[in-house]
Amino acid sequence: APPAGTAGAGVRQSDPATAQLALPRALPAPASATPEPPHTPASPAQGPWHAPAASPAQGAPHAPASGLPPAQAPAAARQPYAYPYPAAPAALPQQLPAGPSPAPPAAPAPGRRGLLTAVAAGAAGLVVGGGAVLALGSDDQAAATDDKPSAAPRPTVPGRAPEPRWTYTHPATAPVPLTAGVWRDELLVLTGTDRATALDLRTGRARWTSKDAAGAQKVLAAGDGLCFLAGPAEFLWLSSKDGRVEHRVRYADQFIDVPGMKVGPLTGLTGNVLWFTGSHTVTVKAPKPKKGEKPGKDTQVAKAYLFAYDVVRREEVWRTAVPAGRDGTPAYRLTAVRDADVVLAQDAATLTAADAKAAKGKALFRCFDRASGKPLWNRQFGSVSPTAAALGDEEGRLYAAVGSGLQAFETATGKPVWTLAGPEGSVFGTPVLAGKLLHTANRAQEVGAVEAATGRLAWRRSTEVPLGGNAPALTLSTGGGTLLAADSTQVTAFATADGRRLWKFQDIGAQEPKGATVSAPYRVLAAGKTVVVRRERAFYAFPVA
């Protein structure tokens, strides 16, 4: 989620300046390259570790003597697209120019805790442009109270993932984190069934843990120095410094007219206002039987509401009744937030059988007045299905996957505005807005950018991941210069300006206990000029533009 709400726009904060990624056209290559020593892949059972600080004596990493592969895959390897494929940016040179041969740096002794990362499926050795293998190691354990930032990353080699600012592996003895969220570009908060753990985003070191926040959803900013989390039975406000509970509001105490309220997944947050759904069960008495008839039985009925809640003032703003979900509480996706209203779509998995039948295979979008919660309209758009990815903007447009294409609609009328064709048989995932551009991804493992107003294609590139699976999940860096596509195979970084592939990252060393290899998809969180890549228990912080 987007965090934002996961589907809605979130508030972004600034971060101290760091070195930006650059993709030079050519780099001098040494006459020879010294291979890096082998390392043992890290095991989550060993606990967290941190990348060693760069030493001037070590020098910069070697550029390989071999040439760079083309920036794009050969034409024969591409899919036969039915739409025009835009021209690629200027390709990197096939052979790096020769240069003076610097003395190879002293290779550090491999540590017992190693990290092996690869930047292309099947890559072996250190290769740039199309893939890379990076070996790091450290035996040092930093004190949890040490909040000094890690050393600045060494220069980035084209095609190779930048050196992580820090890495963290959640202990294997603890349950896997259920959620991961960023608090004000300062903390990475992981919430599991037994506790919440906050990591300093500059260093990756644990700042605090809290058993009070076990099982909580997301993490949101709630005033100066406070982290807000929604637990199974209460709202919590924790100190960002030490995780101490500053405020606690139990649902049973604040929502006394909704006894036994069950809160669904949080819908989204804009400013100080959080939207969420809740439900409870009421007893409906059977009507009084007529003379000679047997008395009927009382029935249990679920009542559901959409709430707007101010997380700073800790009070309800409004609530409005909505249809109950399959298990009582419906789950909504925050599709659009405008000045006057909000547009939501219900998660297909929470539709009742009757609602699913009435929808006739189409998604139903609901619009509510932002100030009062008054329902404004319910509408279907074209043939958009309940499971289709959708996103709205402040201009009154709705973008949604339809068949193998992506369509834009006017939310006021439901009329289509434009259609972007995709590869036959593919499906678009949830797009990401960035100013006047809409970034897209589809199951053909393509990432692109189109003009939001017209649908004109600006660029489209392949992640070079084997076809299959869902569309990559897109995350835009806070600075807007880097677009990251995450799937079950890798994370691929693109320059938003022209679609250049900057680097790829694979965590092929992470393993679960007893040697079971991690198969979870990659996920990305943006925080200032850092993105945190997650794969199950393992977390890596990379610098981005």
Side-chain angles (χ1 to χ4, degrees):
T6 55
V11 179
R12 289 172 174 160
Q13 305 291 336
S14 61
D15 192 55
T18 56
Q20 294 186 354
L21 281 176
L23 187 62
R25 292 297 179 190
L27 293 174
S32 62
T34 303
E36 297 182 3
H39 296 269
T40 303
S43 169
Q46 295 173 336
W49 67 276
H50 306 279
S55 170
Q58 292 176 338
H62 285 290
S66 59
L68 288 171
Q72 298 293 331
R78 295 179 186 155
Q79 296 294 316
Y81 303 122
Y83 45 79
Y85 198 93
L92 295 172
Q94 294 294 322
Q95 181 65 41
L96 292 173
S101 301
R112 124 184 107 76
R113 303 171 187 259
L115 167 69
L116 180 61
T117 58
V119 189
L126 179 60
V127 183
V128 296
V133 172
L134 171 64
L136 303 172
S138 174
D139 288 332
D140 300 332
Q141 290 294 327
T145 57
D146 185 1
D147 60 353
K148 294 181 181 179
S150 303
R154 289 177 289 184
T156 302
V157 177
R160 170 180 173 177
E163 186 172 316
R165 287 176 167 165
W166 53 261
T167 67
Y168 171 83
T169 303
H170 199 64
T173 55
V176 173
L178 298 178
T179 60
V182 169
W183 182 83
R184 288 191 170 177
D185 294 346
E186 294 180 22
L187 297 177
L188 173 67
V189 181
L190 312 178
T191 56
T193 56
D194 66 334
R195 61 183 169 177
T197 302
L199 307 180
D200 189 305
L201 273 171
R202 293 190 307 158
T203 64
R205 298 181 176 96
R207 184 179 290 187
W208 50 258
T209 61
S210 171
K211 292 185 178 180
D212 291 297
Q217 295 184 52
K218 295 187 179 177
V219 56
L220 307 169
D224 294 338
L226 294 180
C227 302
F228 170 86
L229 297 100
E234 60 187 353
F235 289 147
L236 294 169
W237 288 259
L238 307 182
S239 166
S240 62
K241 293 182 179 180
D242 56 17
R244 185 179 67 254
V245 176
E246 298 287 349
H247 306 288
R248 171 184 265 123
V249 173
R250 291 183 172 87
Y251 306 145
D253 297 334
Q254 186 157 49
F255 306 98
I256 56 177
D257 54 342
V258 191
M261 183 174 72
K262 296 179 180 178
V263 173
L266 302 184
T267 302
L269 176 84
T270 299
N272 296 335
V273 177
L274 169 73
W275 290 284
F276 70 94
T277 52
S279 71
H280 70 130
T281 302
V282 298
T283 301
V284 178
K285 291 183 176 291
K288 187 176 180 180
K290 295 180 180 180
K291 187 176 181 179
E293 292 182 348
K294 292 183 179 180
K297 294 182 179 180
D298 296 344
T299 56
Q300 300 292 312
V301 177
K303 285 192 173 183
Y305 306 92
L306 173 68
F307 292 87
Y309 188 87
D310 192 308
V311 298
V312 174
R313 294 186 295 168
R314 301 191 297 280
E315 63 183 25
E316 180 180 332
V317 179
W318 53 255
R319 80 176 70 169
T320 187
V322 294
R326 179 173 298 176
D327 296 321
T329 308
Y332 288 116
R333 303 189 306 272
L334 185 60
T335 304
V337 178
R338 282 94 68 99
D339 290 338
D341 56 29
V342 293
V343 180
L344 311 176
Q346 186 170 346
D347 237 348
T350 67
L351 289 169
T352 64
D355 287 340
K357 183 178 180 181
K360 297 181 179 179
K362 297 181 181 180
L364 181 64
F365 294 84
R366 304 179 187 275
C367 182
F368 301 89
D369 183 270
R370 186 170 170 179
S372 66
K374 178 184 177 181
L376 300 179
W377 50 257
N378 298 334
R379 186 166 293 140
Q380 293 178 317
F381 294 90
S383 58
V384 177
S385 73
T387 58
L391 176 72
D393 64 12
E394 296 180 353
E395 305 299 323
R397 288 183 292 266
L398 177 80
Y399 312 95
V402 178
S404 61
L406 185 71
Q407 278 191 293
F409 301 87
E410 293 179 351
T411 54
T413 64
K415 294 181 180 179
V417 178
W418 51 257
T419 300
L420 175 68
E424 185 176 353
S426 186
V427 177
F428 278 87
T430 303
V432 172
L433 272 170
K436 296 182 179 180
L437 287 180
L438 185 72
H439 294 291
T440 65
N442 59 47
R443 288 185 185 174
Q445 304 307 314
E446 296 174 326
V447 174
V450 300
E451 291 181 356
T454 65
R456 186 186 71 84
L457 184 64
W459 57 263
R460 180 180 274 150
R461 303 286 182 263
S462 171
T463 62
E464 298 183 340
V465 169
L467 300 185
N470 296 323
L474 299 180
T475 301
L476 185 68
S477 64
T478 304
T482 307
L483 182 69
L484 298 107
D487 50 51
S488 60
T489 302
Q490 66 189 30
V491 174
T492 311
F494 298 87
T496 55
D498 55 14
R500 287 175 298 134
R501 284 190 295 271
L502 301 177
W503 48 265
K504 302 177 183 180
F505 170 78
Q506 288 180 328
D507 170 16
I508 62 173
Q511 291 186 336
E512 284 290 271
K514 299 181 181 179
T517 302
V518 173
S519 59
Y522 291 90
R523 302 179 189 277
V524 178
L525 291 168
K529 291 191 175 181
T530 298
V531 291
V532 177
V533 174
R534 171 193 176 185
R535 197 178 194 198
E536 202 61 86
R537 297 177 183 272
F539 296 82
Y540 311 88
F542 293 105
V544 292

